[in-house]
Amino acid sequence: MMRKFLKYFFWTVAIVLIFFIGSRYELQLIEKGQMTYNLWPAAIFATAFPVIIGILLRLPKLITEIKRDKAWSVNWIKLLAVGLPTLYLALVPLLSFTFLGKYLPFAIDIIHLDSSNIAGLIFGYVLLDSLKED
């Protein structure tokens, strides 16, 4: 019981530290981008970082499932029904910097909602959660 508690506690502390360090790094990228007029590194990081956090949130359960040593497959229904829309929401701010920006449906509404962080988090989690044992 205590071992499980410590495992979850230390994993939570690690995720919080990664989140803190990543947030600080993102601020540095934004400041550097404002000085150099190159916001691509900040935009790419702001898109990828929530996905990484989502993956980290699901990783402990995936590791436990991998230890069972069974065959694996992909839950395509979950990946397409949940993963694809959240990936779109997460990528809209980044894609709006490209020539595709004017062709993206609902792009302005999505950017104003600032939902890309939550969508990236959900996508990262669903990406690992769609892996299933047979």
Side-chain angles (χ1 to χ4, degrees), residues 57-107:
L57 288 172
R58 178 61 169 86
L59 195 59
K61 188 173 180 186
L62 181 67
I63 291 170
T64 303
E65 292 169 350
I66 288 174
K67 288 181 182 179
R68 292 186 192 143
D69 202 27
K70 292 185 179 180
W72 288 85
S73 65
V74 176
N75 184 345
W76 289 106
I77 294 171
K78 182 184 284 187
L79 196 57
L80 292 174
V82 180
L84 201 56
T86 55
L87 177 62
Y88 176 73
L89 290 173
L91 289 178
V92 162
L94 181 64
L95 293 175
S96 66
F97 281 106
T98 68
F99 69 95
L100 295 173
K102 60 184 171 186
Y103 302 111
L104 297 172
F106 309 110

Side-chain angles (χ1 to χ4, degrees), residues 50-52 54-55 58 86 119-129:
V51 174
I52 292 168
I55 288 171
R58 178 61 169 86
T86 55
L121 195 75
I122 293 169
F123 174 71
Y125 189 91
V126 167
L127 189 63
L128 290 189
D129 195 47

